Amino acid sequence: MRHIISYVSTVNPLISNSDITDLFDYISVHNNVLEITGILIYSDGNFFQVLEGERQIIKKMFEKILKDSRHYNIIKMLDKEIKDGSFSKYYSSFVVISEDNSHMELQKFLEKEKIQNPEHFKTISYLTQKFMKLS
């Protein structure tokens, strides 16, 4: 069964934009190799991430994320089984998502959450819009 974990966090102020770019490059390759789909967005000193994949891999990945000194104040928003993922691959971006496909898949994710998690949808939608600077 596939699993999803989504969170927001505050970036360590000692981390440079170059460090974040290197992180994005590494994570995109690494997560796609592990067949993890989702998205990581950085904006205004914060990360927003959605991880989808095989349950054990996602849980293990999130344990590492919790210990990562590059960020703190990690707030988990979703942690549940899912039937189908919303993303076809793993994306990462500064501020605005550059690929049209990733934007459409993020919209698909939001539409699913509106139906499946109405109690969390407003928060998740608000955060993604702020990260993408849509509002």
Side-chain angles (χ1 to χ4, degrees):
M1 183 61 81
R2 292 187 57 83
H3 201 83
I4 185 171
I5 292 180
S6 176
Y7 71 90
V8 293
S9 64
T10 304
V11 175
N12 182 329
L14 301 177
I15 301 299
S16 69
N17 284 348
S18 175
D19 293 333
I20 293 171
T21 299
D22 291 344
L23 172 68
F24 282 178
D25 292 343
Y26 172 78
I27 287 175
S28 288
V29 171
H30 182 72
N31 286 357
N32 282 307
V33 167
L34 291 174
E35 297 183 3
I36 295 172
T37 58
I39 194 162
L40 174 63
I41 305 171
Y42 169 81
S43 179
D44 295 329
N46 296 284
F47 286 129
F48 169 74
Q49 184 163 220
V50 177
L51 297 164
E52 301 172 333
E54 193 273 318
R55 185 181 192 279
Q56 286 182 306
I57 293 173
I58 296 301
K59 291 285 193 176
K60 192 173 188 176
M61 178 74 62
F62 192 67
E63 287 176 23
K64 289 180 182 180
I65 288 168
L66 290 172
K67 296 174 186 172
D68 193 323
S69 63
R70 290 174 284 201
H71 64 153
Y72 58 97
N73 290 341
I74 299 167
I75 301 169
K76 186 169 31 171
M77 297 181 301
L78 294 174
D79 186 351
K80 66 178 186 161
E81 286 186 8
I82 56 174
K83 191 173 188 177
D84 298 310
S86 298
F87 299 90
S88 61
K89 68 178 193 172
Y90 192 84
Y91 302 95
S92 58
S93 180
F94 271 86
V95 185
V96 177
I97 298 175
S98 59
E99 293 184 43
D100 288 339
N101 203 27
S102 62
H103 185 266
M104 290 183 334
E105 291 183 5
L106 184 57
Q107 288 301 116
K108 178 181 167 185
F109 165 73
L110 291 172
E111 288 169 14
K112 279 177 133 179
E113 289 309 303
K114 186 174 186 176
I115 294 166
Q116 296 174 356
N117 283 314
E119 69 278 7
H120 294 111
F121 171 73
K122 284 184 180 180
T123 302
I124 294 169
S125 178
Y126 172 80
L127 288 171
T128 56
Q129 289 179 27
K130 289 299 178 189
F131 272 88
M132 293 174 63
K133 306 226 186 246
L134 297 176
S135 60

